[in-house]
Each structure stands twice: as structure tokens, then as C-alpha cells.
Amino acid sequence: MAPYTENQIEDIEAWNRGREAAIRRNAAKGRNRKWLAEDESREELQNFISDCYDPNTFLGAMNEALDQWGRLTEKQEVAARNAMAKHKKWHADREARIAEERANAADCPEGRVQVTGEVISTDLRQTAFGGQWKMLVRDDSGFKVWGSIPSKMFDLATENGIEPHGNSFKGKRVSFTAALQPSEDDPKFGFFKRPTKPEVGA
């Protein structure tokens, strides 16, 4: 096939821009390979940065810098490593806190029990009868239970000035009596049904 000529290319300026962009991309890839080869720990750093897409954040800006230039400046790298270290520490502290909470948590009881604690999460599940809001509640003694939000709680929410929406209960203090069934896989987790006498706090 004969090579393209200017007469065959309808928009020579656009073609040139595309060609220059391709050259820049290839140059950035080459710089990136060299940058990574200079320090093996940079691959972990680059993987950490690559998960950040918001250009309005520092890490998002670093992601764009790597994409454009293939490397970070010395100051950028130091700042990005500090951000990664803080992120790791946050996760380590969180895992330690969760492990401690789990170790101190009581096992989920069986039978009709009063549950008093905090709503950790809510979710709208579709059933044969339509949408049904569910909630995960962590009892003050540590065990967690999952079940349907009783309709009475929506009435109480309205009375307390809370938007009567399933997601509005997240983070709220609640209390109710229900039949609990511990999970076969996790003694500190269970399911509740037939909740009565619900209360909703702040």
C-alpha cells in the first residue's frame, strides 16, 4: 500500500495533532518504564495513584502527571509517598479497630430479644411484593443483625422530623424486639424478623 500523502488526508492538521499526541504518549511510556526501573517500590506507588481519578485532588493530579509525563518530580514523589503511608496507616488502624470490636462483641443470641444499637447500613431489596427496606444494626453488646425495617419506624421517623426514607435511618439509634436467628457461619451475626415496639433516636 502506498504511503499517505497530503492529498489523501482530508484534515492534515488533525492528522498532525494525532501524530504528535501519539509521539508524546510513546515518550511518556518510555520515561515511565525508566522511572519504574530506577526504584522497584515505585510500582506500588503508581498502582496506588492510578486508583485516583479526580483531577481536583492531589492524587488525581499526580495520576494525570504520570499519564502525561511518565514520571513524578522528586517533590511530587515525596508528597505522594506520604499520602500512601497515611492511607496505609488509616487502613491498618481501621482493621485493628474492627478486629478489637469483633473480639469484644457478644455472640448473637437466639429467640425473641430486644435489640438496641446503631443502624450501620440500609438497603432496598426487591421482592415478589415490591421493594423492601432492610437494615444492618449493631447492638450495643457488639453483635450485628440484619432484617426488614418495620413500617412503624417510618411513622416514628416522620414524628421525629426525620425524612421517612430507608437511607435516613443510617447512623440512627434504634431499639426493637424481634426474633433473632444466629448465622451458621458467624456467631456474632444474625437475622431478625417480626420486629415489634420499635423506637428511633438521634
Side-chain angles (χ1 to χ4, degrees), residues 59-148:
L59 290 175
M62 294 304 94
N63 195 3
E64 287 193 341
L66 280 173
D67 184 59
Q68 183 175 1
W69 302 107
R71 61 180 298 125
L72 299 179
T73 66
E74 183 177 344
K75 289 183 178 180
Q76 287 173 335
E77 183 175 350
V78 169
R81 286 185 182 277
N82 288 338
M84 183 171 70
K86 290 180 181 179
H87 180 76
K88 284 184 174 182
K89 185 179 185 305
W90 181 86
H91 272 281
D93 291 346
R94 178 176 180 272
E95 291 299 323
R97 185 173 65 254
I98 291 174
E100 182 180 3
E101 289 177 353
R102 179 172 176 78
N104 296 329
D107 289 347
C108 178
E110 184 174 3
R112 197 145 189 89
V113 178
Q114 181 176 356
V115 177
T116 300
E118 179 183 349
V119 179
I120 302 302
S121 64
T122 60
D123 190 26
L124 180 62
R125 299 293 179 89
Q126 294 299 325
T127 69
F129 305 100
Q132 175 65 60
W133 279 100
K134 304 276 188 176
M135 64 179 176
L136 178 65
V137 180
R138 179 172 57 210
D139 185 81
D140 290 340
S141 63
F143 67 85
K144 299 176 182 178
V145 287
W146 171 262
S148 299

Side-chain angles (χ1 to χ4, degrees), residues 110-115 176-180 191-196:
E110 184 174 3
R112 197 145 189 89
V113 178
Q114 181 176 356
V115 177
F176 56 89
T177 300
L180 306 189
F191 305 91
F192 72 83
K193 56 184 178 181
R194 298 191 300 277
T196 59

